Amino acid sequence: MQISPSILSADFANLEAELKRISDADWAHVDVMDGHFVPNLTIGLPVVEALVKVSPIPLDAHLMIDDPDRWAPGYAEAGCRSVTFHIEAAADPRRLARELRAAGSRAAMALKPGTAFAPYEELLPDLDMVLVMTVEPGFGGQSFMEDQLGKVRQVHEAVVRHGGEIWVQVDGGVSAETIERCADAGADVFVAGSAVYGADDAASAIDELRRLADRHQHP
Ligand code: DX5
Ligand code: ZN
């Protein structure tokens, strides 16, 4: 069970210090938004390259951008240890996933709430993680979408059938109130933005999330 705090809810004027606050986490989740694929604009490759150099923990890049076939490999080459592209935006997802792995990163595909998993199950051999969005991508601090738990279960079952080490990540509205249900459904990597950076003590928020997830680990 792994925790990946999202720096979207961090202080963008002090990102190096904000990364240090979450050094007990497994990953630092970096939300890249282009103002086209989602109606919000955050940071891009030059900032991510700078973050790789100072982060005490590996970066988990979540690319909410158009044309990931063109842009995503650059994030792997920059040193992100996991790179997630949105399946809705990818032209040739199999080739892209292979390129990400060849560049030394884990390769992951993300599904928006309205996107079904079944048509993409055949991509599993080329993937290291599937991200099930539990809010509409674009903004932090939104309410968790309970109706996505069925998809988490479905992805988990497909991963078990397929074998190998493929992780199931949830992102959006994950907190001490919702993480247990995500873990029960089969998620094993948990992104949390406001639940970690909104807490007085980020380290203890991370500990608490991990404790709750561990208790509900899916068999
Ligand atoms: C939303 C982003 C999330 C966001 C989660 O598009 O992908 O990573 O930071 O924020 P919370 O945990 O506050 O819902
Ligand atoms: Zn994200």
Side-chain angles (χ1 to χ4, degrees):
M1 304 304 243
Q2 303 184 72
I3 309 295
S4 186
S6 165
I7 62 166
L8 187 60
S9 297
D11 175 0
F12 269 30
N14 294 292
L15 286 176
E16 181 173 3
E18 292 288 72
L19 285 168
K20 304 245 147 79
R21 275 176 78 194
I22 58 162
S23 58
D24 293 338
D26 300 280
W27 298 85
H29 184 86
V30 179
D31 289 302
V32 173
M33 306 188 190
D34 66 354
H36 292 271
F37 181 74
V38 287
N40 193 9
L41 182 66
T42 54
I43 58 172
L45 191 54
V47 176
V48 171
E49 283 170 339
L51 295 177
V52 166
K53 291 191 191 126
V54 300
S55 181
I57 53 176
L59 297 193
D60 163 32
H62 174 197
L63 308 181
M64 286 158 275
I65 59 172
D66 281 342
D67 204 2
D69 303 72
R70 176 171 173 193
W71 301 109
Y75 290 83
E77 285 154 17
C80 294
R81 295 259 289 277
S82 178
V83 176
T84 302
F85 59 85
H86 267 269
I87 193 67
E88 302 86 358
D92 189 344
R94 194 181 299 277
R95 198 178 72 178
L96 176 54
R98 288 178 182 168
E99 247 186 273
L100 293 172
R101 283 177 166 181
S105 164
R106 296 177 65 91
M109 105 175 148
L111 305 164
K112 295 210 281 186
T115 304
F117 167 66
Y120 307 109
E121 182 173 341
E122 61 181 32
L123 294 172
L124 285 181
D126 293 296
L127 294 171
D128 300 297
M129 185 170 79
V130 177
L131 164 53
V132 177
M133 289 302 300
T134 43
V135 297
E136 281 301 336
F139 300 92
Q142 304 183 77
S143 304
F144 181 77
M145 293 171 70
E146 294 285 339
D147 63 355
Q148 296 302 304
L149 286 173
K151 198 194 292 178
V152 174
R153 218 165 278 123
Q154 205 189 342
V155 174
H156 172 73
E157 282 160 13
V159 161
V160 169
R161 272 201 305 281
H162 175 267
E165 213 202 315
I166 304 171
W167 300 340
V168 183
Q169 186 179 59
V170 285
D171 180 9
V174 175
S175 69
E177 280 69 56
T178 57
I179 193 167
E180 295 166 298
R181 296 201 287 292
C182 296
D184 277 333
D188 45 27
V189 187
F190 306 87
V191 177
S194 43
V196 169
Y197 281 104
D200 294 331
D201 181 349
S204 54
I206 292 164
D207 280 354
E208 171 70 353
L209 290 171
R210 195 183 275 123
R211 189 183 65 79
L212 293 168
D214 279 341
R215 264 198 351 211
H216 286 256
Q217 184 155 13
H218 202 277

